[in-house]
Amino acid sequence: MFLIVQNDPLCPAGGLLPLLDGSGHPYRSLAAFAAEPFPDPESLTGIVVLGGEMGVHDTAGHPHLVRVLDFIDAALKAGTPLLGICLGGQLLSHAAGGVVSSPSPHREMGICGVDLNATGSGDPLFAGVPTPFVTFQLHNDSFTVPPGGTLLASSAACPAQAFRLPGCVYGVQFHPEVDRPIVDQWDGLFTPRADYLSGFITAEAEFNAASHAILANFISLAATARLS
């Protein structure tokens, strides 16, 4: 069973769902913001922690984040494969002893390029992904690589875009899960309305090729790790 942890009703799993459907692995989504109870991470094949408009340090206004951090900590101790996306990556970094800056000088919005370093190019999470690759960004905060972690990717604006922790545990700052409906919805959150959608549509084929490879790679890696 894969578990998708949703931190914000406006940040759904998007393109991850058809990839999980196609993989044949069972999965379910958990609305952390609605106080749904967490399962034992040892019972799970893999975990994906999604993003959100809130920040790691906004626990007073979003107390569910404390429960998510506790769940991530339990997953790390259990050795359960985990992928943290944007806020999910920041929560993972924070839980593992990294630093999350809020607001960050490394903010990014819209379609951006990300560069894999030599380690990232050889990491199985990025198998079949070119460097640089095109992705989508929407973050005001940023993380550092936590102690014991390995930097895999960076961008011109943000020095830490992806890291790996021992085992099958990854944090990424970018959004490989978004699709047109999600980006369109996010555009409407800005006043005046933003227009990240037009850039997304222009780069959609390239974005999908890299993003779907990353997500499919994680699904495969998690499933294999739990069988070994």
Side-chain angles (χ1 to χ4, degrees):
M1 172 73 72
F2 279 84
L3 183 73
I4 302 166
V5 179
Q6 189 172 349
N7 286 300
D8 186 321
L10 297 179
C11 294
L16 174 61
L17 298 183
L19 293 171
L20 282 167
D21 287 332
S23 75
H25 295 291
Y27 67 89
R28 74 179 182 94
S29 295
L30 184 150
F33 58 88
E36 289 189 21
F38 286 93
D40 181 350
E42 290 191 2
S43 69
L44 301 170
T45 303
I47 301 163
V48 179
V49 183
L50 298 173
E53 63 83 21
M54 67 289 294
V56 167
H57 308 295
D58 296 335
T59 52
H62 303 278
H64 74 274
L65 295 177
V66 175
R67 298 172 54 249
V68 177
L69 284 166
D70 288 344
F71 178 68
I72 291 174
D73 183 64
L76 293 174
K77 291 174 179 174
T80 305
L82 188 148
L83 173 64
I85 294 173
C86 198
L87 172 62
Q90 295 162 9
L91 289 163
L92 173 61
S93 173
H94 183 71
V99 176
V100 177
S101 299
S102 179
S104 167
H106 307 303
R107 290 173 282 182
E108 296 167 294
M109 307 287 174
I111 287 291
C112 299
V114 167
D115 297 292
L116 297 170
N117 59 24
T119 304
S121 291
D123 192 279
L125 183 70
F126 293 103
V129 177
T131 185
F133 64 90
V134 167
T135 190
F136 186 83
Q137 306 272 9
L138 196 65
H139 65 96
N140 288 312
D141 300 353
S142 64
F143 54 63
T144 64
V145 177
T150 302
L151 179 68
L152 302 176
S154 61
S155 68
C158 186
Q161 284 285 349
F163 64 86
R164 181 186 69 233
L165 288 170
C168 184
V169 177
Y170 295 92
V172 300
Q173 185 57 76
F174 51 89
H175 282 280
E177 84 290 2
V178 299
D179 53 21
R180 285 195 195 191
I182 292 174
V183 176
D184 183 56
Q185 185 178 44
W186 288 356
D187 274 355
L189 300 177
F190 293 86
T191 304
R193 180 183 172 86
D195 185 22
Y196 300 122
L197 181 60
S198 60
F200 179 84
I201 292 172
T202 299
E204 190 170 17
E206 194 175 355
F207 167 87
N208 283 341
S211 297
H212 293 177
I214 292 166
L215 295 172
N217 287 342
F218 175 74
I219 293 167
S220 178
L221 288 168
T224 301
R226 294 308 258 178
L227 290 173
S228 61

